[in-house]
Amino acid sequence: MKNDHYYISCGGTGGHFYPGLSIARELKKQDKDVTLLLSGVNSLSQSQAAAAYGITSLVLPKMPSPGKNPLRWLQFLWGLAGGFLITLVRFLKKRPRSLFIMGSFASAPAAAAAFFLRVPLYLHDGNARIGKANRFLSRQAKLLCTAFPAVNAAACRCPVLCTGMPIRPELEEKRHISRKEAIDGLNQEYGKNLSQDLFTILIFGGSQGAATLNKTLPEALKKLSGKSFQVIHLTGKGKLAETEKIYENSSFKYLLLESSPRMELFLGSADLVFSRSGGSSVAELTLFGKSAVLIPYPYAAEGHQEDNGRFYVQSGAGEMVSDKELTVEKAHSLLLAALDNPEDLKEKSARALKASYPGAAALFLEKTGVLPR
């Protein structure tokens, strides 16, 4: 089909990039031509990650989000102008059928080029609270899809629909992984002897880790005398050594890693999870049907991690505790309650599964008219 080419603007953080990459991979699976538009400090590594799946990228000039600082505004406008011209030239050479934007002000150049050429624009937001960039761009968009039911849909100027968080196919395919397969996979991958019969606690704070989780939870775990359990803890980059010191002389089994792409093994092994409530984390917890204690990142823009956590808690899947409230004593009481009430935990896990949106990438493409309904 003429002009059957799609562009996805997903530069910025991993929370924008990876859902965009998942949609791109679904497009490629459907034999559609797709190009990612990237901008930001991670553009090179993101471009390489996309290339590994045979997906092309166009790297645009870096630009910060506009703020109160006049210098930032100048940098933003300079990046906007440069990105607009580069994108416009590309669009004229290979005209898009649609432009998909995954949020972030880094998408402004592509949105401007789409507006100039009257290219249909569709948005996706990975949080329960639609961000400022998407709210602004909704004036131009035909549809805005969200990872979770939006708490501020009325602030948008286009229809809003919840289609779920596009998650990488490898993770989607493993959402029904058995506990045995997951534990065996961890033991083989990392040379451990974790048990299939022990209550397993998973702790992770996202790609950067979380200081509160890394410090508070090991201390609380060491106070659980007389309880049988094992721990898997992803500390975040550069946080492994300092966290290992806290775990020293622990009487329980534990596996500590900075990070790993094998989240299916960690989620498949877990009975209880402690994590931040970023959009991808909450979506993965529901996809695998895991009950969790969520600790929202306190400095997330407009408190959007609290909104994600509220969706999860209202689904009956777990609890939410503020970063400030997660003391050693509070963590200890939460752990005791979970260990003493395994049946309650199973019910919460079942509710988490009911709150999931499997196949979100394909559903997004269906609702935006790319795939047949």
Side-chain angles (χ1 to χ4, degrees):
M1 180 185 291
K2 188 177 180 181
N3 297 340
D4 197 17
H5 193 91
Y6 298 87
Y7 289 84
I8 304 174
S9 180
C10 56
T13 66
H16 299 118
F17 172 70
Y18 287 104
L21 179 61
S22 295
I23 292 173
R25 292 177 65 185
E26 183 65 30
L27 282 166
K28 191 172 179 62
K29 178 182 171 184
Q30 302 295 332
D31 295 321
K32 308 290 186 183
D33 291 328
V34 58
T35 298
L36 300 185
L37 302 174
L38 305 173
S39 175
V41 295
N42 299 313
S43 294
L44 180 59
S45 61
Q46 290 173 349
S47 180
Q48 292 170 342
Y53 299 104
I55 295 167
T56 59
S57 303
L58 177 63
V59 176
L60 303 177
K62 298 175 184 177
M63 55 182 243
S65 59
K68 295 181 180 180
N69 188 322
L71 180 59
R72 285 181 66 88
W73 262 103
L74 286 173
Q75 292 172 330
F76 170 76
L77 292 172
W78 181 259
L80 175 61
F84 168 74
L85 290 173
I86 294 170
T87 308
L88 183 63
V89 170
R90 175 58 70 91
F91 282 6
L92 288 170
K93 286 182 178 178
K94 206 166 192 178
R95 193 176 181 90
R97 185 174 179 188
S98 300
L99 169 65
F100 303 131
I101 284 179
M102 311 304 292
S104 167
F105 279 99
S107 297
F115 179 77
F116 187 80
L117 295 176
R118 297 186 179 180
V119 173
L121 174 65
Y122 298 92
L123 308 173
H124 186 278
D125 203 292
N127 296 293
R129 179 169 295 277
I130 299 165
K132 290 180 181 179
N134 272 343
R135 296 201 301 266
F136 178 79
L137 293 174
S138 69
R139 306 160 192 264
Q140 178 186 341
K142 290 184 174 295
L143 177 68
L144 191 159
C145 296
T146 59
F148 315 109
V151 300
N152 59 339
C156 294
R157 303 288 289 276
C158 70
V160 176
L161 180 67
C162 180
T163 55
M165 173 70 86
I167 291 174
R168 56 192 174 91
E170 295 84 0
L171 207 53
E172 283 245 11
E173 291 164 6
K174 290 291 186 178
R175 68 182 186 273
H176 299 305
I177 189 173
S178 69
R179 181 184 179 85
K180 181 182 185 306
E181 185 182 354
I183 293 289
D184 286 347
L186 287 174
N187 288 336
Q188 183 176 355
E189 186 90 9
Y190 301 107
K192 287 293 189 178
N193 63 337
L194 299 173
S195 170
Q196 297 173 29
D197 302 320
L198 282 176
F199 187 95
T200 303
I201 300 158
L202 171 63
I203 304 164
F204 71 97
S207 59
Q208 299 303 312
T212 303
L213 276 67
N214 289 348
K215 293 176 182 177
T216 303
L217 285 166
E219 294 288 0
L221 289 163
K222 290 168 80 170
K223 290 178 176 289
L224 293 171
S225 57
K227 298 292 182 180
S228 297
F229 61 91
Q230 60 192 2
V231 177
I232 303 167
H233 191 147
L234 304 181
T235 67
K237 189 175 180 179
K239 310 281 190 351
L240 182 61
E242 61 190 56
T243 308
E244 277 183 322
K245 290 180 181 179
I246 308 176
Y247 275 99
E248 282 180 357
N249 303 318
S250 296
S251 59
F252 51 85
K253 293 181 180 181
Y254 60 88
L255 168 61
L256 263 63
L257 300 166
E258 281 195 349
S259 61
S260 170
R262 303 295 305 276
M263 281 305 296
E264 71 277 7
L265 298 180
F266 302 109
L267 289 167
S269 301
D271 293 295
L272 175 67
V273 181
F274 284 79
S275 81
R276 291 300 196 196
S277 49
S280 293
S281 295
V282 173
E284 290 169 9
L285 288 169
T286 60
L287 190 69
F288 279 75
K290 297 299 170 179
S291 180
V293 177
L294 300 178
I295 303 92
Y297 179 58
Y299 306 109
E302 298 185 290
H304 67 258
Q305 285 208 9
E306 291 184 19
D307 294 302
N308 296 341
R310 202 166 289 114
F311 156 77
Y312 184 83
V313 171
Q314 289 173 351
S315 299
E319 299 181 60
M320 181 167 63
V321 179
S322 74
D323 192 84
K324 188 176 181 179
E325 291 174 334
L326 191 70
T327 61
V328 172
E329 292 73 23
K330 179 64 175 178
H332 182 255
S333 67
L334 290 166
L335 287 162
L336 276 178
L339 286 162
D340 291 341
N341 298 280
E343 292 306 314
D344 179 57
L345 210 59
K346 287 180 181 178
E347 290 180 12
K348 289 179 178 178
S349 295
R351 294 186 197 119
L353 192 60
K354 288 182 180 179
S356 66
Y357 290 85
L363 182 58
F364 173 81
L365 293 174
E366 177 189 313
K367 296 302 182 182
T368 55
V370 178
L371 302 183
R373 301 196 177 199

